[in-house]
Amino acid sequence: MEIQDETIKLRPFELEDAEEHLAGEDEEQIKWLSGGKGTIEGVRDWIKKNKEQWENNGHILNFAITDKQSGKLLGMIEANGHSQELEGLEEGDVNISYGLYPFARGKGYATNAVNLILKFLKEKGFKRAIIKVNPNNKDSLKIPLRCGFVEGKTIITKDKEKLIIFRKDLQD
């Protein structure tokens, strides 16, 4: 499964991506996405789990964001349709999360990736896309608004994290 526009391509991660993905990890990704420093074994296990989700039509679909020309990894974007297990989601919702490597930030890649994945998720039959952002993550707060999401309620998760929920209808 590949989705692309004129600048980026989204594709499932491969085991060969593990070292490049780990090398792109920085304090921002640890803080907002993973919660801890990765290891090569952990990244390989994560890629294997992602591959299983793709093969079994699972709830979590993770894409590598790559430069369309060079193929270089720029980051990741994930769609998680397991609405019953995610705080702030309703039936028919899909949660989108994303992260870019430091050198790829500020170039519009995350906005492009979200817009590309929205078309894919609509075709998969989801009703609404959700992006949850910590209000302190200033750079990430801009992306849902650029992609036509509407800011909704703020929730406090069971882990005591404050998150703003952005929603976008996918049905016409």
Side-chain angles (χ1 to χ4, degrees), residues 1-58:
M1 162 58 59
E2 291 183 354
I3 312 167
Q4 57 190 336
D5 66 10
E6 51 287 335
T7 58
I8 63 168
K9 177 168 50 174
L10 307 182
R11 62 162 176 79
F13 276 90
E14 298 295 335
L15 281 174
E16 301 81 53
D17 297 325
E19 287 185 31
E20 191 175 358
H21 181 70
L22 184 61
E25 182 181 88
D26 72 339
E27 291 303 317
E28 288 292 303
Q29 280 194 329
I30 292 168
K31 181 177 182 179
W32 303 120
L33 282 177
S34 65
K37 181 89 175 106
T39 64
I40 194 66
E41 298 82 20
V43 172
R44 286 189 181 122
D45 288 344
W46 175 75
I47 291 172
K48 288 175 190 172
K49 287 178 186 162
N50 289 331
K51 289 175 92 49
E52 287 173 18
Q53 290 285 320
W54 278 104
E55 291 164 5
N56 298 315
N57 200 25

Side-chain angles (χ1 to χ4, degrees), residues 53-54 58-63 77-80 117 120 124:
Q53 290 285 320
W54 278 104
H59 293 290
I60 300 172
L61 301 173
N62 204 301
F63 291 91
I77 187 165
E78 177 182 284
N80 186 334
I117 206 170
F120 168 77
K124 298 272 293 170

Side-chain angles (χ1 to χ4, degrees), residues 2 7 9 24 34 49 51 65-66 78 91 100-101 113-114 119 121 128 131-132 139-140 158 160-161 166 172:
E2 291 183 354
T7 58
K9 177 168 50 174
S34 65
K49 287 178 186 162
K51 289 175 92 49
I65 304 170
T66 65
E78 177 182 284
E91 188 65 36
L100 293 175
Y101 308 138
V114 169
K119 294 174 193 169
L121 296 171
R128 282 171 308 282
I131 297 177
K132 299 183 288 185
D139 291 334
S140 195
K158 64 180 179 250
K160 306 286 187 252
E161 183 180 16
F166 294 88
D172 291 327

